[in-house]
Amino acid sequence: MSTDVMTNANARTKTRTKVRMMAQTGMLGAIATVLMLFEIPLPFAPAFYQIDFSEVPVLVGCFAMGPLAGAAIEFIKILLNFAINGTITAGVGEAANFLIGCALVVPAGLIYKRKRSRTRAIAGMVSGTVIMTAIGCFLNAYILLPAYAKAFEMPIDALVGMGNAVNASITDLFTFVMFAVAPFNLLKGVLVSMIVLLIYKKISPVFKMNEG
């Protein structure tokens, strides 16, 4: 009888945990969507590259609940933003942004999951920032920029010209990626990581996580 009681108690605990994780995932996805609406232009990149801090709640969720939860929060963020603002790239830009966001949070979450410590968190965020920058450069060069050029019915050279107007070092697609896209993703990764590093310890009790 006691075994049945323990089994039922464990089942109820697992159910409550799943429900709590689903609620937290949805909440963080909604917060990320709101943050995505507030964009800051950068002096070294054309106007359509604006930084936001929507990856902060995504990375928080990734550390608190694991990499899969982080990817789910990122997906919810992209889906809600798509529903609110629509798309000009037939979903191509949204898919690429999802992959770029996951490139930051998933590696960070995987590294942190193995040992929950400040050192592992920093190592994870550094790794995620580097991976995001590399993947961001590739996706921008071969998917995002061509998609934007098609959406706005202009040649790639016109986008390069917009980059050259704010950064004389940008003269072709390669230098556009090197001097606009790469710094953009590096800066975003560093800023998001710094914010998460500052706030995670303080808010982690909300997620009932014990830090190591």
Side-chain angles (χ1 to χ4, degrees):
M1 185 68 179
S2 59
T3 302
D4 291 339
V5 171
M6 289 180 63
T7 300
N8 291 334
N10 289 336
R12 286 194 296 271
T13 299
K14 289 180 179 179
T15 300
R16 284 196 299 268
T17 299
K18 288 180 180 179
V19 171
R20 186 174 68 246
M21 286 184 65
M22 289 175 63
Q24 290 171 348
T25 298
M27 175 191 69
L28 290 171
I31 294 172
T33 303
V34 173
L35 290 177
M36 198 175 184
L37 300 176
F38 298 93
E39 298 179 316
I40 303 170
L42 298 172
F44 58 80
F48 54 87
Y49 279 97
Q50 298 187 15
I51 198 167
D52 65 71
F53 296 100
S54 61
E55 254 64 55
V56 169
V58 181
L59 188 53
V60 166
C62 203
F63 279 171
M65 297 178 285
L68 288 179
I73 295 167
E74 183 73 28
F75 180 76
I76 291 171
K77 180 195 80 172
I78 297 296
L79 189 64
L80 289 176
N81 185 69
F82 179 87
I84 294 170
N85 295 319
T87 179
I88 59 171
T89 60
V92 174
E94 286 70 26
N97 284 332
F98 170 76
L99 293 175
I100 292 171
C102 286
L104 169 64
V105 302
V106 171
L110 287 170
I111 292 172
Y112 181 69
K113 185 179 180 181
R114 294 181 61 185
K115 184 180 180 182
R116 297 180 180 275
S117 67
R118 182 182 177 87
T119 301
R120 297 289 291 187
I122 293 173
M125 290 186 290
V126 169
S127 299
T129 297
V130 172
I131 293 171
M132 178 181 71
T133 300
I135 291 179
C137 288
F138 177 83
L139 290 177
N140 271 270
Y142 295 103
I143 297 177
L144 275 178
L145 289 173
Y148 284 129
K150 184 176 181 180
F152 291 110
E153 298 182 346
M154 62 173 63
I156 291 289
D157 287 346
L159 295 178
V160 172
M162 294 172 67
N164 179 262
V166 296
N167 187 343
S169 299
I170 297 174
T171 57
D172 53 26
L173 183 59
F174 177 79
T175 53
F176 189 107
V177 170
M178 289 298 100
F179 296 118
V181 177
F184 171 86
N185 283 297
L186 281 172
L187 179 61
K188 182 172 183 175
V190 169
L191 292 177
V192 167
S193 298
M194 288 176 62
I195 294 171
V196 172
L197 197 61
L198 288 172
I199 69 172
Y200 184 69
K201 270 283 191 178
K202 295 173 183 172
I203 67 174
S204 60
V206 175
F207 301 95
K208 301 184 184 299
M209 302 298 296
N210 295 319
E211 295 291 321

